[in-house]
Amino acid sequence: MAKENESLNGPCASCPSKCCRNYSVSLTDSDIEKLTKSAELEDSVVLELADGFDPLLAPSFLLNIDGEGKKYILRLRRDRKETCVFLGKNNFCTIYENRPRKCRTYPFVKSNLNSLELKEGARCPIKWKMTVKLEKSFEKDIEEQKNEIENFRKICNKWNSNFEGER
């Protein structure tokens, strides 16, 4: 989805934004930094805590909420209807140029054979015609996402070891 005034070419330009609804977008420290700096938003507008997640996909950290140490992830804030708060009324993303890496890579993953394939269970209604340029862009974003997740995992692990040491 694109900003209303921004020209977007490709499949997302005509998309009904299904990936922006009922889909949890986990964030890394890099995502948060980029969103809060470029969009001049406060962290509280951008993110929220969530539990019940896949630890392989999203680094988690321990917090003591209600007297219980529990693991949480940071994710893009959603409204009461579980829709991303940055989805505009026109079904375009209001932060498209600065969207999180997980949004940039959706609906693709890298297979074990190192090729792009649709993510299992993806709700993307678009028929993708993969060009060399588009494929390289997705591959670059997937590789950067992998690195950002690994770096954030290290930060979370350090936090968790300190948290567990205080108990």
Side-chain angles (χ1 to χ4, degrees), residues 127-157:
K127 302 275 191 249
W128 287 85
K129 292 179 184 171
M130 194 59 69
T131 63
V132 172
K133 183 179 178 182
L134 192 56
E135 185 171 356
K136 286 184 187 235
S137 175
F138 272 109
E139 287 176 346
K140 178 181 177 263
D141 280 327
I142 287 171
E143 189 60 33
E144 288 177 6
Q145 179 186 33
K146 184 175 125 183
N147 293 334
E148 288 175 10
I149 288 172
E150 190 51 42
N151 288 335
F152 191 51
R153 189 176 312 285
K154 289 175 185 174
I155 292 169
C156 289
N157 287 344

Side-chain angles (χ1 to χ4, degrees), residues 10-35:
C12 292
S14 61
C15 177
S17 308
K18 287 187 177 186
C19 60
C20 302
R21 294 174 174 82
N22 298 306
Y23 187 68
S24 186
V25 176
S26 58
L27 300 171
T28 65
D29 58 318
S30 299
D31 291 325
I32 296 165
E33 184 176 353
K34 184 169 42 171
L35 283 168

Side-chain angles (χ1 to χ4, degrees), residues 103-117:
C103 297
R104 290 180 181 279
T105 60
Y106 191 84
F108 294 100
V109 294
K110 262 211 166 143
S111 73
N112 292 339
L113 301 173
N114 219 20
S115 63
L116 283 182
E117 61 183 42

